[in-house]
Amino acid sequence: VQLVESGGGLVQPGGSLRLSCAASTFMFSTYDMSWYRQAQGKERELVARISSADGSTNYADSVKDRFTISRDNAKKTVYLQMNSLKPEDTAVYYCNGRRSTRLKEYDYWGQGTQVTVSS
């Protein structure tokens, strides 16, 4: 399974970006999808997750009410809409797909896309 992120870039504080992550698997709808980020010198952290079962979402406290995760199973794509961006949101953002069966855990990562928030 390949996950390919896009949509990163340079944006001013208060601006918006939408990240996309396109998956190659036809079983995309069965994967829980997440966005993580890693700022320079810091550990990777979970930003947002969306469930495969019911589309429920959860967010890191630092991005609640500013970021929205969504998915389009027909397009095999997960999105992260980021509004009211702050300099502390600067990081490499990674897409993750995870699926568990009785016999195996499937865990895939994208290559990352850089988001820089700066004036």
Side-chain angles (χ1 to χ4, degrees), residues 7-57:
L10 173 65
V11 64
Q12 290 188 341
S16 298
L17 281 176
R18 188 175 83 152
L19 304 183
S20 300
C21 172
S24 64
T25 175
F26 67 92
M27 298 188 72
F28 175 80
S29 64
T30 67
Y31 280 77
D32 294 331
M33 300 300 298
S34 301
W35 287 96
Y36 286 75
R37 68 185 181 187
Q38 187 168 18
Q40 198 165 9
K42 294 189 177 180
E43 292 188 355
R44 192 173 295 192
E45 63 173 353
L46 176 66
V47 175
R49 174 174 289 137
I50 185 165
S51 164
S52 62
D54 58 7
S56 59
T57 59

Side-chain angles (χ1 to χ4, degrees), residues 46-99:
L46 176 66
V47 175
R49 174 174 289 137
I50 185 165
S51 164
S52 62
D54 58 7
S56 59
T57 59
N58 59 284
Y59 298 90
D61 287 343
S62 58
V63 306
K64 271 180 189 172
D65 300 323
R66 298 189 299 122
F67 290 11
T68 302
I69 188 171
S70 61
R71 66 190 299 160
D72 185 332
N73 288 336
K75 294 184 178 179
K76 297 184 291 181
T77 300
V78 63
Y79 304 97
L80 185 68
Q81 178 66 44
M82 305 186 294
N83 299 328
S84 303
L85 282 160
K86 304 175 181 180
E88 51 263 43
D89 294 318
T90 295
V92 178
Y93 283 71
Y94 296 92
C95 177
N96 171 261
R98 196 164 295 161
R99 175 174 173 258

